Amino acid sequence: MSKSHITIHDLARELNISASTVSRALHDHPRISKATRDAVRKVAKRYNYQPNVMATSLRQGRSKTVGVIVPRINRNFFSNVIGGMEKILAASGYQLMICQTHEKLEDEKAALQTLVNARVGAIIISVSLETTGDEHIRALQDRGIKLFFFDRIIQSQGTESVVIDDRLGAYMNTMHLIEEGYRKIIHVAGPEQITIYRDRKRGYMDAMAGSGIEVLPEWIIEKPVVQAGGEEAFHQAVQLKGGVDAFFCAGDYAALGVMQAARESGRKVPDDLGVTGFGNEPFTAFIQPSLTTVDQRGVEMGKRVAEKLIDCSENDLQPSECKKTVLKPELIVRDSSKPNR
Amino acid sequence: MSKSHITIHDLARELNISASTVSRALHDHPRISKATRDAVRKVAKRYNYQPNVMATSLRQGRSKTVGVIVPRINRNFFSNVIGGMEKILAASGYQLMICQTHEKLEDEKAALQTLVNARVGAIIISVSLETTGDEHIRALQDRGIKLFFFDRIIQSQGTESVVIDDRLGAYMNTMHLIEEGYRKIIHVAGPEQITIYRDRKRGYMDAMAGSGIEVLPEWIIEKPVVQAGGEEAFHQAVQLKGGVDAFFCAGDYAALGVMQAARESGRKVPDDLGVTGFGNEPFTAFIQPSLTTVDQRGVEMGKRVAEKLIDCSENDLQPSECKKTVLKPELIVRDSSKPNR
DNA sequence: AAAAAATGCGCAATCGATTGTACAAATTGT
DNA sequence: ACAATTTGTACAATCGATTGCGCATTTTTT
């Protein structure tokens, strides 16, 4: 590791040629002779030449930095996704610039501005809960910034996205409850304006309808998908005249709330009450009883978005040619949904 | 938001002055008159001028990018720390470049090389479990890259670091067990070469010695601090002739392993056996019984390192003037350590 | 009032990589 | 053998911000 960085000029001097030739040689320019090209390559390797990213970015007006916007970096799912992206992108010389929105539209706008100032070439985003419109995001496309969504997406012209099949995940989850003998299944739903929660509700409806079970409107309880939301949902549900067999919650924390409220009310999970969640948060494996849930394949999702991004960038594809990738979720069956009969 | 970016030349043209004057005005150069300075400021604000980071970095030979190296981004503690750093650094216009080592020295070296190539001005690192020496890290200092450690540190000339007082945390943790009446307390320790685990062991020893309890050598069981390690430690400990009252584990996952092994062996926590962990992983609050543990104050730690970094950078302090910051850990008392008598 | 110092600003070079244009040499075609 | 191409390189400008130096103009000093 030498003290200062090697530049193309150093290589040029060494070879008694011009810097432009060195640059072209390293980029396989057709007008450079094979002899020169090989010579340059060799010296570059010998000196461990690493191009100066800033110079390149400045010249190109665009950096190899990828902006990433997530609600919170320390949510297990998001940090998994970021981990997956990092793995793929780092290998291709991209760097990540990570911003958090804390679920606030205001922060999301600020993050976008920051990324624009940083001249990122692409942005990967999972929108905040407050985000409904897409004007602030569309503005990026004027700047030629490529846009990729994951998980919480906005269907927008000229963007790519990667999601899991939330509907299928919810369907499998609900079907599992039905197969285990539960019938009066409550769905603790998330905010209707978020795609993923809408899809999860649909999957639930599909499963119920497909099994010939009529879903009463009161069975769908929309709450914030946090612990307190789950508790509220439980208390609300037990008031229902017809009784309750199980809860399919749109999020693991809500399921946790349901389980805790159930325990306090003396109802045993899974024998008196089935409970399932969504997300496969780490704690779901450790609680008693362990929670049946759906894995969102965060790492895989991150890798996929990253690959799309690299593909689009290297081949300079326009986002209009891009589309939506849907990953298969995985149902993780644990104890909370398997009554001992 | 206009189509293309505003440069100092645009401002210069607007004001009929030279770009250099604009640059100097924006940097409060003493040789620029107040009148010009104010005029420039005003126009810059009007056009929402944002300096081109790449140009600045290129000229300066150093970017406002901060390299961050952690074992895994999706470990709760680390993502908390990163979240904290991001909050502070983003506000001052720094960007993060995050790398993972997956606890491998090899990856750590690769990450360092990547960051050097990216011309980062500073690196914040929590070393991998495999890391013992500091040669690969010292090499950075020749390059003028400022170095900051957190949590898993290497005491090295000319670096700053932020840690929690692991010894105190372990002390409080152990004292709490003693106060609750446990006496034969096993310590499930982590790898001896890692500072934090050494300190946690010391805290345990302090508490025991201070309470007049003799620690038998077999009471200290060194294992990887994962679930399986905890299980092994449990089985090893129950063989001991004198019997066992409690386990203080150097990590939450190890504690989880102990609790699960205990359940399988029919020993009730906390009445038959006290268990405590270290780390305050989210799951510790949800398991049954909930786990007493020590919070590592990840977010706070991230903020502190970030502040140090900003301080050192803005005032151009040399790392030699730098030191170690120690945060107070917080003991979180839950059910796993409070026997009902 | 002349000399010395301070003030205010512009010119041009620089950071490192890229690229349009130009120009010479080598190759091809007729 | 001479023109028309093709091939291989070099020059110089460019991206945007910064900064040493120099040249006026103004202010201070003696």
Side-chain angles (χ1 to χ4, degrees):
Chain A
M1 218 187 257
S2 62
K3 199 95 176 179
S4 78
H5 297 274
I6 301 290
T7 73
I8 48 173
H9 295 94
D10 299 326
L11 301 182
R13 201 175 317 115
E14 179 79 13
L15 289 158
N16 277 318
I17 57 177
S18 77
S20 37
T21 302
V22 173
S23 173
R24 289 194 167 98
L26 293 172
H27 286 84
D28 285 321
H29 190 285
R31 295 282 272 278
I32 298 293
S33 69
K34 186 163 176 353
T36 316
R37 189 160 54 223
D38 292 346
V40 171
R41 280 271 156 72
K42 207 169 120 195
V43 180
K45 175 155 287 178
R46 178 149 56 85
Y47 283 98
N48 186 28
Y49 165 73
Q50 302 287 147
N52 184 319
V53 249
M54 295 166 218
T56 307
S57 305
L58 176 59
R59 184 68 222 270
Q60 241 75 105
R62 185 113 299 158
S63 73
K64 262 200 145 187
T65 299
V66 176
V68 178
I69 303 181
V70 292
R72 321 197 102 89
I73 191 182
N74 55 355
R75 277 272 305 280
N76 181 62
F77 170 67
F78 291 117
S79 58
N80 274 333
V81 176
I82 292 174
M85 298 188 311
E86 196 266 337
K87 186 166 174 114
I88 302 294
L89 290 175
S92 292
Y94 289 84
Q95 71 172 281
L96 302 184
M97 186 166 167
I98 300 172
C99 305
Q100 311 185 66
T101 65
H102 305 285
E103 306 286 11
K104 291 205 286 267
L105 180 56
E106 206 53 43
D107 287 18
E108 190 165 291
K109 286 182 180 165
L112 287 167
Q113 185 60 57
T114 304
L115 295 177
V116 168
N117 291 343
R119 269 73 166 177
V120 299
I123 291 179
I124 301 178
I125 181 172
S126 192
V127 300
S128 83
L129 287 178
E130 285 182 8
T131 306
T132 52
D134 65 344
E135 312 77 32
H136 61 303
I137 298 181
R138 296 300 290 270
L140 298 175
Q141 304 185 294
D142 300 342
R143 301 254 190 191
I145 299 179
K146 298 200 173 70
L147 253 186
F148 301 82
F149 289 93
F150 72 90
D151 197 52
R152 301 210 205 136
I153 69 175
I154 288 181
Q155 293 279 29
S156 190
Q157 191 61 42
T159 62
E160 287 231 18
S161 51
V162 179
V163 294
I164 61 158
D165 192 334
D166 283 282
R167 189 167 178 172
L168 175 61
Y171 177 84
M172 296 190 300
N173 192 318
T174 311
M175 281 307 289
H176 163 72
L177 282 172
I178 296 172
E179 281 159 13
E180 290 292 337
Y182 301 105
R183 284 295 173 273
K184 290 171 238 163
I185 304 173
I186 303 296
H187 175 44
V188 182
E192 178 76 16
Q193 78 269 22
I194 310 285
T195 332
I196 56 173
Y197 294 121
R198 214 158 44 224
D199 287 345
R200 290 175 195 176
K201 189 169 86 183
R202 283 213 197 102
Y204 160 79
M205 301 292 281
D206 292 349
M208 297 296 270
S211 309
I213 307 175
E214 191 197 353
V215 175
L216 304 179
E218 318 80 275
W219 286 8
I220 298 178
I221 305 180
E222 188 175 319
K223 290 285 177 192
V225 283
V226 297
Q227 208 171 335
E231 289 170 12
E232 288 171 28
F234 175 84
H235 294 305
Q236 195 169 317
V238 291
Q239 312 278 339
L240 296 178
K241 293 193 200 71
V244 171
D245 287 348
F247 285 82
F248 159 48
C249 307
D252 284 336
Y253 283 93
L256 178 69
V258 168
M259 283 176 65
Q260 297 208 326
R263 185 182 1 256
E264 283 158 17
S265 312
R267 293 199 61 165
K268 289 259 178 275
V269 176
D271 291 340
D272 299 349
L273 197 69
V275 179
T276 59
F278 206 109
N280 197 21
E281 289 284 333
F283 74 82
T284 57
F286 307 138
I287 56 175
Q288 286 291 323
S290 59
L291 182 69
T292 293
T293 184
V294 175
D295 188 80
Q296 295 186 88
R297 317 209 24 219
V299 177
E300 175 75 9
M301 199 178 284
K303 287 187 184 170
R304 289 297 194 89
V305 199
E307 281 161 4
K308 284 200 168 210
L309 189 152
I310 291 175
D311 191 45
C312 278
S313 299
E314 313 273 283
N315 306 318
D316 209 42
L317 297 179
Q318 276 318 296
S320 53
E321 317 163 27
C322 304
K323 43 193 185 287
K324 182 160 140 186
T325 300
V326 181
L327 300 181
K328 289 263 168 295
E330 188 186 357
L331 178 67
I332 315 267
V333 176
R334 297 211 185 88
D335 298 338
S336 65
S337 58
K338 294 198 297 186
N340 308 299
R341 291 200 201 80
Chain B
M1 219 189 257
S2 61
K3 199 96 176 179
S4 77
H5 298 273
I6 300 291
T7 73
I8 48 173
H9 296 95
D10 299 327
L11 301 183
R13 200 175 318 113
E14 178 79 14
L15 289 158
N16 278 317
I17 56 177
S18 77
S20 34
T21 302
V22 173
S23 173
R24 290 192 169 100
L26 293 171
H27 286 84
D28 284 323
H29 191 285
R31 296 282 270 279
I32 299 295
S33 70
K34 187 166 178 347
T36 319
R37 189 161 54 224
D38 291 346
V40 170
R41 281 269 158 74
K42 207 169 119 194
V43 180
K45 174 154 288 180
R46 178 147 57 86
Y47 283 99
N48 186 28
Y49 165 74
Q50 302 286 146
N52 184 319
V53 246
M54 296 166 219
T56 308
S57 305
L58 176 59
R59 183 67 223 269
Q60 241 75 109
R62 186 111 299 161
S63 72
K64 263 200 145 187
T65 299
V66 175
V68 179
I69 302 181
V70 292
R72 320 198 101 89
I73 191 181
N74 56 355
R75 278 272 305 279
N76 181 63
F77 170 66
F78 291 117
S79 58
N80 274 333
V81 176
I82 293 174
M85 297 189 311
E86 196 265 338
K87 186 167 173 115
I88 301 294
L89 290 174
S92 294
Y94 289 84
Q95 70 172 280
L96 302 185
M97 186 165 166
I98 300 172
C99 304
Q100 311 184 66
T101 65
H102 305 284
E103 306 286 11
K104 292 205 287 268
L105 180 56
E106 207 53 43
D107 286 19
E108 189 165 290
K109 285 182 180 165
L112 286 167
Q113 186 59 54
T114 304
L115 295 177
V116 168
N117 290 343
R119 269 72 165 177
V120 299
I123 291 180
I124 301 178
I125 181 172
S126 192
V127 300
S128 83
L129 287 177
E130 286 182 7
T131 307
T132 50
D134 65 343
E135 312 77 32
H136 61 303
I137 298 181
R138 296 300 290 271
L140 298 175
Q141 304 186 294
D142 300 342
R143 300 254 190 192
I145 298 179
K146 298 198 175 71
L147 253 185
F148 300 82
F149 290 92
F150 72 90
D151 198 51
R152 301 210 205 134
I153 69 175
I154 288 181
Q155 294 279 29
S156 190
Q157 191 61 43
T159 63
E160 288 229 20
S161 51
V162 179
V163 294
I164 61 157
D165 191 334
D166 282 282
R167 188 167 179 174
L168 175 61
Y171 177 84
M172 294 190 300
N173 193 318
T174 310
M175 280 308 290
H176 162 72
L177 283 171
I178 296 171
E179 281 160 13
E180 291 291 337
Y182 301 105
R183 284 294 173 274
K184 291 171 237 165
I185 304 172
I186 303 295
H187 175 45
V188 183
E192 178 76 15
Q193 78 269 23
I194 311 285
T195 332
I196 56 173
Y197 294 121
R198 215 160 42 224
D199 287 346
R200 290 175 195 177
K201 189 169 86 182
R202 282 213 198 102
Y204 160 79
M205 302 292 282
D206 292 349
M208 298 297 269
S211 309
I213 306 176
E214 190 198 354
V215 174
L216 304 179
E218 332 54 294
W219 285 8
I220 296 179
I221 305 179
E222 188 175 319
K223 290 285 177 191
V225 282
V226 297
Q227 209 172 334
E231 288 169 12
E232 288 171 29
F234 175 83
H235 295 304
Q236 195 169 317
V238 290
Q239 310 279 341
L240 296 179
K241 293 192 200 71
V244 171
D245 288 348
F247 285 82
F248 158 49
C249 307
D252 284 336
Y253 283 93
L256 180 68
V258 168
M259 282 175 66
Q260 296 207 327
R263 184 181 3 256
E264 283 158 17
S265 311
R267 294 198 60 164
K268 290 258 178 277
V269 176
D271 291 340
D272 299 349
L273 197 71
V275 179
T276 59
F278 206 109
N280 196 22
E281 290 285 331
F283 74 82
T284 57
F286 307 138
I287 56 176
Q288 285 291 323
S290 57
L291 182 69
T292 293
T293 185
V294 175
D295 188 82
Q296 293 186 89
R297 317 209 25 218
V299 177
E300 174 74 10
M301 198 177 286
K303 287 186 183 170
R304 288 296 195 89
V305 198
E307 281 161 4
K308 283 200 168 210
L309 190 151
I310 291 175
D311 191 44
C312 277
S313 299
E314 313 273 284
N315 306 318
D316 209 41
L317 296 179
Q318 276 318 296
S320 53
E321 317 161 29
C322 302
K323 45 194 183 292
K324 182 160 141 186
T325 300
V326 181
L327 301 180
K328 290 261 167 295
E330 187 186 358
L331 178 68
I332 314 268
V333 176
R334 297 211 185 89
D335 298 340
S336 65
S337 59
K338 294 198 298 187
N340 308 299
R341 292 206 198 73

